[in-house]
Amino acid sequence: MGGVIRVVPSVSQATPQRPVPLLVRSQTRTGSNNVKKAVRAVNLLRTVQYTHPPSCPCHANPGHHHNRGRLSAAPAVSRFADRTMSRRSYATPQQDPAQLKEYAFEMAASSVRFGPGATQEVGMDLTNMRAKRVCVVTDETVDKLDAMAQVRDALTREGIDFRVFNKTKVEPKDYSIKEAIAWAKPYDPDVFLAVGGGSVIDTAKLMNLYTCYPEADFMDFVNAPLGKGLPIDRKMRPLIAIPTTAGTGSETTGTAIFDLASRRTKTGIAHRNLKPALGICDPLNTRTMPSAVKASSGLDVLCHSLESWTAIPFNERVPRPTNPLLRPAYQGANPISDIFSLSALRATVKYLPRSVRDPDDMEAQSEMLLAATLAGVGFGNAGVHLCHGMSYPISGQNPGYEHAGYEVSSPIIPHGVSVAVTAPAVFRFTGPSNPERHLAAAEAFGVDISNVKRESAGEVLAEALERFLSDLGDQPAGLKALGFGSQHIEELVEGTIPQDRVLMLAPGLAKELEQERDQLRKLFEDSMEY
C-alpha cells in the first residue's frame, strides 16, 4: 500500500473551461480611412489591456479576509501578459478561487506488514535501509514490555547503532514534544523507529519533522489557524512504526496530534510527508493492553471509520489547491477511503466487545489491530469531522476526570473516550446530510434498516451507538460523567471553533461563525448525557 495513487477525472471534468477568445482580425482595404482608424483604436485598447490588467480590490488582494489563511488561494485575475498577442478574452466574470471545489483526490498510506512475530524483522529492515544511527522512540511503560525486548534483540543482532528515547508522554503536550525534539536534534539519526501507541508514533513523527527543519519555529507547521500551517516540502527521514495498541492507525497516516497547553485544546500537524515508511503490525504486541485501554483505543477506531465514512465528499471540499503540494491529507470521503472505512467499522462492531472481555481471544485482538490499520488508511485520506473536533477541547479542558485502567500521574480523558462521548449527538445531527450512508452504518451495528425512513437515519444510528457503548461497559454516558456541566459549554465551543482542519469536513455545519457556534453549543448540550 506504499506510494500515492492520484485519481483525476476526465479532462472535461477536471479542467476549468476557459472562455472562447474572440479573434479580432483586421480586414482593411486600401484607401479605407475609417477601417484604418478602427484598427488603430483596437490596437490601442489591446495595448492598454495588456499593460494595465484589471484588478478587483477585493479578490485580487491576497491579504483580503476572503483569502487570509488559505494557502491554496490564488489571485482571481489571471495575468494577461501570459497570453499570446493573437488571442484576447473579453471581460468574463471569474469565480473566487477560494470557492472552487476540489476535483481530484490522492491516496497515500504507509507500507504495512502484518503478522504475529513480524517485530523480529525490524533489524533486517534497518540493515536493508543501511541505517547508521537509529532513534528508537517509546514510553516508560512500553520500554519494559516484550515489544521493546524484541526490538532491542533485533537491532543488536544486526549490529545496528541505536539510542532509545523513552520519555514520551501519553496524550502528549506541546512541551513534551519539544523536549523530545531537543533530544533528537543533536543525535541527528538517519532513521526513526517508534514502538508504542499513537502518542509515541506521533511524537516520533514530529521529532523527525523538526530534525529535518532544525531552523523552524514549532508553530510553523501546526494546523492553522492555531499555527501557521506551512506545507512540508522536504523529504523526511525514514520512520518505522510498530504499534502496541489497536486504535490510532498512526502507523499509516501523516497526522500527529498533541495538546496545545496554552490554548487548552488539542491540535496537530498533518501532511502526507509525515507518514511512516513502514508500519509493522504485530498482534503479539497488543496482548499486554489493559482492558480499559483496549476499549478506548477501539472507540477511536469506531469513530475514525464512522467519521471518514460520513465526511463530506472530496469533490465538495473547497478551496481547490493551486498546487498538488497544497492538497490536504484530509480530503473528504472518496471511493477508495470508503472501502477501508466501512470494512473497519464492521470489524470493530464485531470484534471490539470480544477483545475487551477476553484478553486470550487472539482472533479478536488480531482483527482489532487490523481494523485500526484499515481505519487509519481510510481516515488518513478522507479525514474525520465533528467527534474529533469536539474531542480536542474535551481532553484539553478536563475538569479532573481520571479514567480507570490508565497508569498516569495526572487526570486523563483517553482520546477514544473523548471522541465517543459525543458520537450519538453528532450522528443524530449529521444524519440528514446523507441518510443512505448513515443507514449503512446503522446496518453495520446489526440494525434492520429495511423499513427505516430516510429522515430517521441519524436517530437510528445514534440509538445503535448508544446501545453499543452501553453494552461495551465502563464508558461514561455523556459529558456529565466526565465532570462537565452547562457552565463549561461556552469554553468547549470556543475550543472547537479553531479546529478548521476537521470541521471543514463536517456535513451540515454552518459556514457563518455565529450559526456554527449555535450548532456546536447544541451538540455539546445534547452530549451531556444519553
Side-chain angles (χ1 to χ4, degrees):
M1 286 191 281
V4 175
I5 301 173
R6 289 179 173 84
V7 181
V8 184
S10 65
V11 173
S12 62
Q13 297 172 340
T15 306
Q17 296 299 305
R18 298 176 60 161
V20 178
L22 178 64
L23 301 182
V24 179
R25 294 174 179 164
S26 174
Q27 298 179 347
T28 61
R29 295 180 179 178
T30 304
S32 176
N33 291 330
N34 290 336
V35 174
K36 289 181 179 179
K37 290 178 180 179
V39 170
R40 284 198 297 270
V42 169
N43 288 337
L44 178 60
L45 289 171
R46 181 179 294 161
T47 301
V48 171
Q49 186 179 33
Y50 276 81
T51 56
H52 300 284
S55 60
C56 166
C58 173
H59 294 108
N61 178 8
H64 188 268
H65 71 275
H66 287 178
N67 293 330
R68 191 171 301 143
R70 297 183 184 274
L71 289 172
S72 56
V77 180
S78 60
R79 293 177 297 170
F80 281 75
D82 289 345
R83 302 184 183 178
T84 63
M85 291 298 290
S86 64
R87 295 167 62 90
R88 178 166 69 88
S89 295
Y90 285 108
T92 302
Q94 297 197 29
Q95 189 174 356
D96 180 359
Q99 301 307 315
L100 289 176
K101 292 182 178 179
E102 178 63 279
Y103 65 88
F105 66 91
E106 296 186 16
M107 194 69 189
S110 307
S111 294
V112 173
R113 181 181 303 146
F114 191 98
T119 304
Q120 62 187 325
E121 296 182 354
V122 70
M124 291 180 281
D125 290 317
L126 293 167
T127 296
N128 294 339
M129 292 178 178
R130 300 180 180 177
K132 302 299 182 186
R133 288 184 311 283
V134 177
C135 174
V136 181
V137 185
T138 189
D139 61 42
E140 291 181 335
T141 299
V142 175
D143 199 16
K144 302 169 186 174
L145 301 178
D146 186 61
M148 271 300 295
Q150 292 284 326
V151 166
R152 281 189 168 90
D153 288 346
L155 271 58
T156 301
R157 191 163 54 244
E158 291 292 321
I160 303 294
D161 180 16
F162 68 94
R163 291 177 61 184
V164 176
F165 177 82
N166 68 354
K167 302 300 182 182
T168 302
K169 304 301 181 185
V170 177
E171 306 292 345
K173 312 287 186 184
D174 51 350
Y175 53 80
S176 71
I177 297 283
K178 291 176 183 177
E179 290 171 3
I181 293 167
W183 186 93
K185 280 183 178 180
Y187 181 49
D188 195 27
D190 53 4
V191 178
F192 287 84
L193 171 59
V195 186
S199 297
V200 167
I201 299 173
D202 287 1
T203 298
K205 290 175 183 177
L206 299 186
M207 293 167 77
N208 191 1
L209 171 64
Y210 289 98
T211 299
C212 294
Y213 283 89
E215 77 288 357
D217 180 78
F218 183 76
M219 298 302 290
D220 281 352
F221 303 105
V222 174
N223 297 323
L226 293 171
K228 295 180 181 178
L230 298 181
I232 298 170
D233 56 5
R234 295 181 190 173
K235 185 178 180 180
M236 298 293 100
R237 296 168 192 186
L239 165 63
I240 298 177
I242 303 179
T244 59
T245 61
T248 67
S250 188
E251 67 274 7
T252 74
T253 76
T255 302
I257 302 298
F258 55 87
D259 282 319
L260 192 60
S262 62
R263 297 291 297 270
R264 300 185 67 209
T265 190
K266 280 184 181 288
T267 184
I269 298 175
H271 194 278
R272 55 181 53 87
N273 284 1
L274 286 181
K275 63 182 172 57
L278 172 64
I280 299 178
C281 300
D282 185 343
L284 298 180
N285 292 334
T286 63
R287 292 176 301 174
T288 54
M289 277 195 298
S291 176
V293 178
K294 288 179 183 176
S296 61
S297 297
L299 291 177
D300 197 18
V301 181
L302 186 78
C303 290
H304 282 161
S305 53
L306 277 169
E307 290 173 74
S308 54
W309 171 249
T310 57
I312 66 168
F314 76 95
N315 54 6
E316 290 294 322
R317 195 192 75 250
V318 295
R320 179 190 302 170
T322 56
N323 187 303
L325 180 67
L326 301 177
R327 181 165 284 119
Y330 285 6
Q331 302 165 87
N334 61 76
I336 299 180
S337 69
D338 287 347
I339 296 170
F340 289 89
S341 299
L342 192 55
S343 178
L345 173 61
R346 290 168 174 159
T348 303
V349 171
K350 180 177 181 179
Y351 292 108
L352 179 56
R354 283 174 50 181
S355 71
V356 169
R357 294 191 179 100
D358 185 0
D360 296 322
D361 187 342
M362 284 307 299
E363 180 189 21
Q365 313 301 337
S366 180
E367 291 293 336
M368 275 310 302
L369 180 58
L370 183 58
T373 301
L374 294 174
V377 176
F379 93 86
N381 290 277
V384 288
H385 53 80
L386 281 165
C387 293
H388 274 74
M390 295 169 68
S391 80
Y392 296 149
I394 290 172
S395 295
Q397 299 175 26
N398 183 1
Y401 177 81
E402 298 182 18
H403 197 70
Y406 278 75
E407 298 180 7
V408 291
S409 57
S410 57
I412 184 173
I413 302 175
H415 176 60
V417 172
S418 69
V419 169
V421 76
T422 64
V426 163
F427 292 105
R428 191 175 282 114
F429 169 79
T430 60
S433 68
N434 196 326
E436 290 76 13
R437 287 199 171 222
H438 286 70
L439 288 174
E443 190 173 34
F445 284 90
V447 176
D448 180 2
I449 63 170
S450 56
N451 295 315
V452 177
K453 296 180 179 179
R454 296 175 75 255
E455 55 266 29
S456 302
E459 183 64 39
V460 168
L461 178 55
E463 291 175 355
L465 273 163
E466 289 172 0
R467 287 193 299 272
F468 184 83
L469 293 170
S470 176
D471 292 344
L472 191 62
D474 297 324
Q475 297 306 311
L479 290 172
K480 282 187 177 179
L482 298 177
F484 290 99
S486 57
Q487 71 274 20
H488 297 105
I489 287 179
E490 291 306 317
E491 277 193 274
L492 291 170
V493 169
E494 293 307 311
T496 305
I497 292 291
Q499 308 299 334
D500 284 0
R501 182 177 60 96
V502 294
L503 295 186
M504 69 184 295
L505 300 172
L509 193 64
K511 302 301 180 186
E512 198 278 323
L513 182 58
E514 288 309 312
Q515 293 180 17
E516 180 184 0
R517 279 196 172 98
D518 289 342
Q519 290 174 323
L520 291 172
R521 195 175 291 116
K522 180 68 162 56
L523 283 168
F524 279 115
E525 289 172 354
D526 292 345
S527 299
M528 280 294 162
E529 53 185 337
Y530 54 81

